[in-house]
């Protein structure tokens, strides 16, 4: 669908256009109640300690009213070093609204816009729409029609699609923000301990070298690969376990890694069996490396760093292409890559009740490998 020279960048803008064409205010609210909305802010203000941002307002001379402009995710402008965005929702706007006479202007000046009055009764309808829609959706594949869809950059960005789908964010964005400026800065600080450009570059090098996925579990998988090469076929679980025990007893005289290796062996064996039972792996299939977990996280760290203004668009693009080079050396298909990511996530967070994480992870994997619109179905691995 196009509207003159405009095409809706994401599903949200398409829904807004269709609802507006029908003059269906309820459908507009339903669409807005399920999406992130973005407010422009000067970076110098966003970085000021203790600064409480106000909603921006401007005069709409044509309509002769004051409006608060907000943008949906697909309508954000290109990256700028000094202007950033913070996200909000329709319900949060209703709670913080400063003036009954002001209007909400969503994507003003575009075919995907909406102008909403903001009296008390209107704001109650906003809150109801937010409650009804459940807020911004997670576990969804969100593609930006104006972002990279084919070629090396799109391929590289798709390496990070697991986290994008999990959090309901655009997978192929490399622009103004990942989620929003304060969240991007916060997520880099914890868990990544990235506070500035130099930290980002150091962390990226570590991830590209796959040094964070875990030496012990990779060693356990490496022993199986070497056994397979020596035997000419995959070893039995008993042969593999015996080799792990003997190797770590020999190389780890103090037992510091031995117990960890045995536990990772148990987790790997357990989840691979589940993958086979659930049809994710063939009966004789296995996962040979967990490197995908670092590759996927590396792409997301780049996107966070771009959003936090720790790098510029050109460096971000070059960075994700470096990640792609590393991933292509380790994997031969999207399915192999996705299962490597999946297994690493599960064995590293197999604490408490792991079942919800398993089901969530499998849902993301199936979305990426089966949805006809997924980059894993539309971008050749090699």
């Amino acid at each position: 669908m196009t509207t003159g020279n405009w095409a809706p960048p994401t599903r949200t803008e398409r829904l807004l256009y269709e609802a507006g064409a029908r003059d269906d205010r309820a459908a507009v609210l339903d669409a807005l109640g399920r999406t992130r909305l973005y407010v422009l802010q000067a970076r110098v203000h966003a970085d000021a300690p203790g600064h409480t941002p106000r909603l921006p307002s401007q005069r709409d001379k044509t309509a002769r009213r004051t409006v608060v402009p907000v943008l949906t995710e697909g309508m954000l402008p290109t990256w700028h070093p000094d202007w950033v965005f913070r996200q909000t929702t329709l319900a949060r706007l209703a709670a913080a609204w400063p003036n009954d006479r002001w209007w909400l202007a969503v994507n003003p000046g575009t075919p995907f816009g909406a102008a909403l009055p903001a009296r008390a009764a209107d704001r109650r309808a906003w809150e109801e729409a937010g409650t009804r829609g459940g807020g911004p959706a997670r576990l969804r594949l969100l593609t930006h029609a104006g972002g990279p869809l084919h070629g090396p950059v799109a391929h590289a960005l798709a390496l990070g699609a697991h986290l994008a789908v999990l959090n309901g964010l655009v997978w192929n964005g490399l622009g103004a923000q990942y989620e929003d400026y304060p969240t991007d800065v916060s997520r880099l600080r914890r868990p990544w301990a990235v506070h500035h450009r130099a930290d980002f570059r150091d962390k990226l090098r570590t991830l590209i070298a796959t040094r964070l996925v875990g030496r012990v579990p990779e060693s356990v998988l490496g022993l199986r690969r070497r056994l397979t090469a020596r035997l000419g076929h995959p070893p039995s679980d008993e042969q593999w376990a015996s080799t792990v025990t003997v190797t770590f007893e020999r190389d780890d005289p103090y037992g510091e890694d031995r117990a960890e290796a045995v536990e990772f062996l148990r987790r790997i064996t357990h989840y691979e069996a589940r993958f086979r039972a659930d049809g994710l792996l063939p009966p004789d299939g296995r996962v040979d490396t967990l490197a995908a977990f670092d590759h996927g996280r590396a792409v997301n760290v780049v996107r966070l760093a771009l959003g936090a203004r720790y790098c510029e668009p050109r460096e971000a693009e070059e960075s994700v292409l470096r990640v792609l080079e590393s991933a292509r050396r380790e994997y031969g298909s999207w399915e192999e890559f996705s299962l490597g990511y999946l297994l690493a996530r599960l064995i590293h967070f197999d604490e408490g009740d792991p079942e919800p994480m398993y089901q969530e992870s499998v849902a993301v994997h199936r979305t990426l490998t089966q949805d006809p619109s997924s980059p894993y179905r539309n971008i050749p691995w090699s």
Side-chain angles (χ1 to χ4, degrees):
M1 181 187 77
T2 60
T3 55
N5 293 326
W6 296 78
T10 75
R11 182 173 181 270
T12 297
E13 290 78 32
R14 178 174 61 80
L15 292 174
L16 286 173
Y17 175 79
E18 293 171 349
R22 299 192 308 268
D23 196 23
D24 188 341
R25 182 61 58 86
V28 168
L29 291 180
D30 282 343
L32 294 178
R34 296 193 298 269
T35 192
R36 294 175 175 86
L37 299 172
Y38 289 87
V39 177
L40 179 68
Q41 187 177 17
R43 183 180 167 197
V44 66
H45 293 157
D47 288 339
H51 176 71
T52 302
R54 296 180 179 179
L55 287 174
S57 63
Q58 63 188 40
R59 189 68 181 169
D60 183 338
K61 294 180 180 179
T62 302
R64 296 183 179 180
R65 60 194 176 209
T66 299
V67 301
V68 172
V70 299
L71 300 173
T72 52
E73 190 164 23
M75 298 304 295
L76 295 177
T78 57
W79 184 95
H80 190 284
D82 299 323
W83 292 96
V84 298
F85 290 87
R86 58 183 175 87
Q87 65 173 311
T88 186
T89 63
L90 197 59
R92 274 188 265 163
L93 285 170
W97 200 258
N99 190 314
D100 284 3
R101 299 179 64 184
W102 291 5
W103 284 53
L104 178 65
V106 182
N107 300 332
T110 77
F112 319 114
L116 304 176
R119 294 160 299 198
D122 299 313
R123 298 198 302 274
R124 284 195 294 272
W126 298 1
E127 291 175 341
E128 290 168 4
T131 300
R132 191 167 56 247
R138 296 175 72 253
L139 292 174
R140 62 172 179 163
L141 176 64
L142 187 61
T143 301
H144 193 302
L149 298 173
H150 304 284
V153 174
H155 190 163
L157 290 172
L159 300 175
H162 286 83
L163 276 172
V165 170
L166 184 65
N167 293 309
L169 299 168
V170 166
W171 70 265
N172 64 331
L174 205 57
Q177 90 313 312
Y178 182 30
E179 188 164 344
D180 76 339
Y181 180 72
T183 307
D184 294 350
V185 170
S186 176
R187 285 189 175 176
L188 283 174
R189 289 176 180 168
R190 185 174 181 182
W192 293 111
V194 170
H195 298 86
H196 46 68
R197 185 182 297 259
D199 283 346
F200 156 62
R201 290 174 174 171
D202 286 344
K203 193 65 66 177
L204 180 63
R205 281 192 290 269
T206 301
L207 285 164
I208 289 175
T210 65
R211 292 203 296 267
L212 294 184
V213 74
R215 175 180 55 82
V216 173
E218 276 290 86
S219 296
V220 170
L221 288 173
L223 288 170
R224 182 171 62 180
R225 290 196 304 272
R226 289 191 287 277
L227 265 177
T228 300
R230 189 168 77 233
L231 297 172
H233 58 79
S236 67
D237 288 348
E238 292 75 16
Q239 288 174 310
W240 185 21
S242 175
T243 300
V244 168
T245 300
V246 169
T247 301
F248 277 85
E249 283 181 349
R250 182 193 67 211
D251 298 339
D252 180 33
Y254 300 103
E256 295 174 350
D257 295 333
R258 199 181 317 157
E260 189 178 359
V262 170
E263 176 59 18
F264 274 124
L265 175 65
R266 182 195 68 78
R267 294 182 185 185
I268 291 168
T269 304
H270 168 72
Y271 284 114
E272 284 187 334
R274 291 204 65 176
F275 291 172
R276 296 185 192 102
D278 290 339
L280 307 184
L281 272 175
D284 60 347
R286 63 185 190 272
V287 175
D288 283 333
T289 174
L290 308 175
F293 197 48
D294 278 358
H295 296 142
R297 293 187 297 172
V299 169
N300 284 278
V301 165
V302 173
R303 295 185 65 190
L304 288 169
L306 184 61
R309 282 25 182 201
Y310 294 163
C311 68
E312 297 178 354
R314 182 172 180 175
E315 181 182 358
E317 184 172 306
E318 292 170 350
S319 296
V320 297
L321 290 174
R322 287 167 53 207
V323 181
L324 176 59
E325 290 177 8
S326 179
R328 278 179 154 168
R329 287 194 294 268
E330 298 290 347
Y331 295 97
S333 71
W334 282 116
E335 288 76 14
E336 289 179 13
F337 175 86
S338 186
L339 286 171
Y341 186 99
L342 189 67
L343 182 60
R345 183 172 190 250
L346 291 169
I347 67 171
H348 280 296
F349 300 104
D350 183 62
E351 307 292 343
D353 179 11
E355 188 61 23
M357 177 173 284
Y358 179 81
Q359 296 299 335
E360 180 182 74
S361 299
V362 168
V364 172
H365 172 78
R366 285 184 167 146
T367 294
L368 287 169
T369 56
Q370 297 177 12
D371 190 311
S373 65
S374 167
Y376 291 14
R377 299 289 301 276
N378 292 287
I379 300 173
W381 179 264
S382 58

